[in-house]
Amino acid sequence: MTHMRTLTLLLVLTILGISSCSVNKNITSYSGKKPKKIIFLIGDGMGLTQISTLFLGKDNTNNFKRFKSIGFINTRSGSHKITDSAAGATAFSCGEKTYNNAVGMNMDSASITNIVEVFSGRKYLTGVVSTSSITHATPASFYAHAKHRKLQYDIAQQLLKSDIDFFAGGGSEYFHKLGADIGLYSWEIDSSNSPSWTNLSFDPNKRYGFLSAPDGLPNMLTGRGDYLKSASLAAIDYFDNKPYFLMVEGSQIDWGGHATDYEYVYSEMQDFDQTLGAILDYAEKDGNTLVVVTADHETGGLSLRSQSYIDNNGNSRSDYDKVEAGFNTGGHTAALIPVFAYGPGAQSFQGVYENNEIYNKLMALMR
Ligand code: MG
Ligand code: ZN
């Protein structure tokens, strides 16, 4: 019977043109309590220094302090020592290191099964929430397969035909320019710029999409407000205590790093932390929710260095009481990235390992 099922699955995957992976995936078995719900948060471009910005103020309360299970990942991609967001997210969502720019495809540009496809096959509801366009590399890697991340019209079509049940982010232009006949009819789509999150009531038989900006959402400095937190809580509300996998991305920590703009990075980190706090509050009450927080890579080579000054003798000195931000690059870096986990199965995220191991760890926790 199991064999039959495997054969049927293989057949279905072959028909869909999805090759099963040749790279060996270490899906270790897990015998402890498994979570019913998984919330996977990605702070795009969020390295240890970006997190450290939340510790700088006098009142350094932040939600990262609530974690006890912590690990580190090496983020290099299949093609480069420094990953981009597409290869970084594909490592999480499909379990393979691939070339930079690849979305849900392996080194040979073949589609590889993603975690949303597997989880929804096991009757989990699935969702993606992002502050970039929902077709951008990070969220796209959880539902689409594309040779290049810039194929966003193709990715938009794939989202509507994917197993995703709930999405929220920007990117309406990628959908509306496609015309009506793209599967939009089977969705409840909200295209307002600021959805009224508190007045929503969801029909469990429908799928919901929020396209709240033409492309990326506004940044925090220009008034995005609490979109990320509200959309994440709306997704949780929609899932209504059924098993689910939800990916939440703070997309613009990365954009602040590319802009080498400290205020941009810091405001996006604060927003991510607020969202994390609300999700951890929910998970603590629920008791059946695993929360995993990590990043695809660090952006900007951000350092929190001391200010220098010239003393009375004309020597350059460091004032260790004055911290200033410095960026080393306008691109990504190869720094190890922390992984934080809370809830049933959290311990399996401890250790130092490769980014694609995240997929194996999540799969081992599937019911
Ligand atoms: Mg991203
Ligand atoms: Zn980037």
Side-chain angles (χ1 to χ4, degrees), residues 44-45 83-85 136 149 251 254-255 258 296-299 330-332:
D44 197 319
T83 189
D84 82 323
S85 294
H136 211 258
R149 55 187 289 169
S251 319
D254 175 66
W255 300 359
H258 284 298
D296 43 2
H297 53 73
E298 193 272 348
T299 306
H332 302 168

Side-chain angles (χ1 to χ4, degrees), residues 141-344:
S141 299
F142 285 82
Y143 61 79
H145 307 277
K147 284 192 170 71
H148 200 288
R149 55 187 289 169
K150 70 183 180 201
L151 299 166
Q152 292 194 71
Y153 292 97
D154 178 32
I155 288 168
Q157 288 201 51
Q158 291 190 46
L159 171 54
L160 297 171
K161 289 168 182 160
S162 74
D163 298 321
I164 294 284
D165 299 288
F166 182 104
F167 68 83
S172 55
E173 68 170 292
Y174 301 106
F175 295 82
H176 294 144
K177 279 187 195 158
L178 290 170
D181 185 31
I182 51 163
L184 265 176
Y185 59 87
S186 64
W187 285 83
E188 290 295 309
I189 299 287
D190 179 320
S191 297
S192 65
N193 284 346
S194 43
S196 54
W197 300 111
T198 45
N199 294 322
L200 295 169
S201 61
F202 294 112
D203 177 345
N205 298 311
K206 290 180 173 165
R207 303 198 289 170
Y208 288 84
F210 294 84
L211 292 167
S212 313
D215 196 0
L217 296 178
N219 61 38
M220 287 307 289
L221 296 172
T222 56
R224 190 172 70 239
D226 63 356
Y227 186 97
L228 189 62
K229 180 172 95 177
S230 298
S232 303
L233 294 177
I236 290 168
D237 185 34
Y238 165 74
F239 293 141
D240 192 27
N241 215 28
K242 298 179 190 106
Y244 65 78
F245 174 83
L246 173 65
M247 193 288 297
V248 173
E249 184 201 18
S251 319
Q252 300 195 30
I253 303 162
D254 175 66
W255 300 359
H258 284 298
T260 65
D261 180 339
Y262 180 73
E263 289 307 316
Y264 193 171
V265 171
Y266 181 59
S267 56
E268 294 296 330
M269 276 307 304
Q270 285 181 306
D271 178 54
F272 189 76
D273 181 54
Q274 292 297 307
T275 304
L276 173 59
I279 287 173
L280 283 175
D281 289 347
Y282 160 79
E284 279 176 5
K285 268 190 220 129
D286 183 64
N288 284 308
T289 304
L290 169 69
V291 179
V292 179
V293 185
T294 189
D296 43 2
H297 53 73
E298 193 272 348
T299 306
L302 178 62
S303 74
L304 297 171
R305 65 194 178 201
S306 58
Q307 265 181 25
S308 58
Y309 66 97
I310 306 295
D311 72 7
N312 295 336
N313 299 321
N315 298 319
S316 177
R317 301 234 174 233
S318 296
D319 183 344
Y320 285 171
D321 242 356
K322 292 207 176 91
V323 175
E324 64 179 19
F327 291 92
N328 229 336
T329 172
H332 302 168
T333 70
L336 291 184
I337 291 296
V339 183
F340 305 86
Y342 173 85

Side-chain angles (χ1 to χ4, degrees), residues 12 42 46 57 59 82 88 144 202 219 246 256 258 343 353:
V12 172
I42 300 176
M46 181 183 74
D59 170 27
I82 297 176
F202 294 112
N219 61 38
L246 173 65
H258 284 298
Y353 45 94

